[in-house]
């Protein structure tokens, strides 16, 4: 029987708790990552608003331009990405589907005003070709990366995305293909592999990666850079 991602996460948590409860001294041998999730205090209110279709009002801080603005949204779901939680909602100002980091939401109010969803949005299908939560409206495209044999073993055991498949293997490399949005999040993930991974296509993505690498090198070449 196929176990969906949500139930798989619950099962993993239960197995860990069950092992520790069975033998309390096991806890000293389990070392979890230090995490300080923020915004979780609003979790219940957000779920309540989503389930009961209540409009939300809050203040939202944007990292990019360091500004805080008032928002009014129709909440649809909560999504986790890289140990952070996001509210997926339709902004009433422009009717666009957006993601709001819970750690940047303040002064949250669940209003008495309800809303009706004009059309059902299948968010699982919507995020099927997404990497992270960025650029929700972009079209997916084929991305091919070349990996060293060593790094390929990690990618095989922990795929970057559910669409990952092996295109071909050589004596020294493995080529992986993906169907997803070439977002900033994905580029950051590729850059984290250093010289173990190279983007082979599309050309647009190759250009973006090269530009970011050039800027990174320039920081070290320019002694006046702060």
């Amino acid at each position: 029987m196929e176990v969906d991602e949500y139930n798989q996460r619950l099962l993993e948590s239960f197995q860990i708790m069950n092992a520790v409860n069975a033998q309390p001294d096991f806890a000293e041998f389990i070392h979890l990552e230090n995490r300080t999730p923020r915004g979780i205090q609003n979790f219940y209110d957000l779920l309540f608003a989503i389930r009961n279709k209540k409009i939300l009002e809050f203040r939202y801080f944007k990292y990019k331009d360091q500004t805080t603005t008032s928002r009014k949204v129709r909440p649809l779901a909560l999504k986790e990405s890289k140990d952070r939680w996001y509210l997926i909602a339709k902004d009433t100002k422009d009717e666009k589907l957006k993601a709001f980091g819970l750690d940047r939401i303040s002064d949250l109010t669940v209003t008495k005003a309800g809303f009706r969803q004009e059309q059902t949005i299948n968010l699982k299908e919507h995020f099927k070709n997404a990497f992270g939560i960025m650029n929700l409206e972009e079209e997916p495209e084929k991305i091919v990366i070349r990996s060293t044999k060593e790094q390929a073993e990690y990618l095989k055991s922990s795929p970057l995305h559910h669409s990952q498949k092996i295109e071909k293997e050589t004596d020294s490399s493995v080529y992986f293909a993906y169907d997803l949005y070439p977002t900033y999040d994905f580029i950051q993930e590729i850059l984290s592999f250093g010289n173990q991974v190279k983007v082979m296509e599309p050309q647009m993505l190759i250009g973006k990666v090269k530009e970011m690498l050039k800027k990174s090198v320039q920081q070290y070449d320019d002694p006046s850079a702060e």
Side-chain angles (χ1 to χ4, degrees), residues 23-130:
Q23 295 290 336
D25 59 322
F26 282 178
E28 70 175 284
F29 307 118
I30 300 173
H31 301 278
L32 302 175
E33 287 188 351
N34 291 324
R35 292 177 57 192
T36 54
R38 298 171 59 192
I40 304 301
Q41 70 273 10
N42 293 321
F43 221 78
Y44 177 83
D45 288 340
L46 292 170
L47 285 173
F48 175 86
I50 292 167
R51 181 180 182 184
N52 294 283
K53 292 183 170 54
K54 297 295 184 182
I55 288 178
L56 292 172
E57 294 180 355
F58 53 84
R59 302 276 289 167
Y60 191 68
F61 179 72
K62 291 182 69 175
Y63 287 146
K64 188 174 182 179
D65 53 17
Q66 300 289 293
T67 59
T68 301
T69 56
S70 296
R71 302 298 183 109
K72 187 176 181 180
V73 306
R74 295 194 288 273
L76 300 176
L78 294 171
K79 188 178 191 304
E80 187 186 22
S81 178
K82 290 183 174 292
D83 295 332
R84 291 177 182 270
W85 282 95
Y86 296 84
L87 169 67
I88 308 302
K90 273 211 169 181
D91 195 324
T92 60
K93 184 177 181 180
D94 55 17
E95 294 299 320
K96 289 185 177 180
L97 192 64
K98 298 178 182 179
F100 301 93
L102 299 198
D103 57 325
R104 289 173 272 161
I105 289 176
S106 61
D107 301 328
L108 177 72
T109 299
V110 180
T111 73
K112 293 181 179 179
F115 67 90
R116 269 194 309 182
Q117 194 62 40
E118 296 178 359
Q119 57 184 23
T120 302
I121 300 176
N122 188 332
L123 290 177
K124 282 192 174 182
E125 184 68 21
H126 185 83
F127 284 106
K128 183 176 71 173
N129 298 108

Side-chain angles (χ1 to χ4, degrees), residues 4-218:
D4 64 35
E5 185 177 351
Y6 175 77
N7 287 327
Q8 183 62 46
R9 293 284 295 276
L10 288 180
L11 180 60
E12 290 173 0
S13 298
F14 174 77
Q15 289 174 331
I16 293 171
M17 290 179 62
N18 195 41
V20 172
N21 287 334
Q23 295 290 336
D25 59 322
F26 282 178
E28 70 175 284
F29 307 118
I30 300 173
H31 301 278
L32 302 175
E33 287 188 351
N34 291 324
R35 292 177 57 192
T36 54
R38 298 171 59 192
I40 304 301
Q41 70 273 10
N42 293 321
F43 221 78
Y44 177 83
D45 288 340
L46 292 170
L47 285 173
F48 175 86
I50 292 167
R51 181 180 182 184
N52 294 283
K53 292 183 170 54
K54 297 295 184 182
I55 288 178
L56 292 172
E57 294 180 355
F58 53 84
R59 302 276 289 167
Y60 191 68
F61 179 72
K62 291 182 69 175
Y63 287 146
K64 188 174 182 179
D65 53 17
Q66 300 289 293
T67 59
T68 301
T69 56
S70 296
R71 302 298 183 109
K72 187 176 181 180
V73 306
R74 295 194 288 273
L76 300 176
L78 294 171
K79 188 178 191 304
E80 187 186 22
S81 178
K82 290 183 174 292
D83 295 332
R84 291 177 182 270
W85 282 95
Y86 296 84
L87 169 67
I88 308 302
K90 273 211 169 181
D91 195 324
T92 60
K93 184 177 181 180
D94 55 17
E95 294 299 320
K96 289 185 177 180
L97 192 64
K98 298 178 182 179
F100 301 93
L102 299 198
D103 57 325
R104 289 173 272 161
I105 289 176
S106 61
D107 301 328
L108 177 72
T109 299
V110 180
T111 73
K112 293 181 179 179
F115 67 90
R116 269 194 309 182
Q117 194 62 40
E118 296 178 359
Q119 57 184 23
T120 302
I121 300 176
N122 188 332
L123 290 177
K124 282 192 174 182
E125 184 68 21
H126 185 83
F127 284 106
K128 183 176 71 173
N129 298 108
F131 187 92
I133 49 84
M134 310 234 350
N135 298 333
L136 303 179
E137 302 301 328
E138 289 190 10
E139 290 297 319
E141 57 185 289
K142 182 180 179 181
I143 295 173
V144 177
I145 65 172
R146 185 186 70 199
S147 169
T148 62
K149 283 284 192 178
E150 179 183 1
Q151 186 62 52
E153 294 304 318
Y154 290 99
L155 292 173
K156 289 177 183 178
S157 64
S158 183
L160 293 181
H161 188 257
H162 68 82
S163 67
Q164 176 176 296
K165 62 182 180 182
I166 296 175
E167 283 226 323
K168 67 175 181 178
E169 294 192 45
T170 68
D171 291 339
S172 59
S173 305
V174 179
Y175 291 73
F176 293 95
Y178 305 88
D179 291 310
L180 50 75
Y181 304 124
T183 62
Y184 177 81
D185 288 349
F186 184 73
I187 295 174
Q188 291 295 305
E189 191 74 16
I190 293 299
L191 291 174
S192 72
F193 294 119
N195 63 356
Q196 299 294 301
V197 165
K198 179 183 178 181
V199 177
M200 306 304 292
E201 61 176 271
Q203 196 60 43
M204 173 274 295
L205 183 56
I206 294 173
K208 285 185 177 181
V209 171
K210 287 175 68 174
E211 184 62 28
M212 293 183 75
L213 287 171
K214 285 179 182 178
K215 289 181 178 179
S216 294
V217 172
Q218 286 171 358

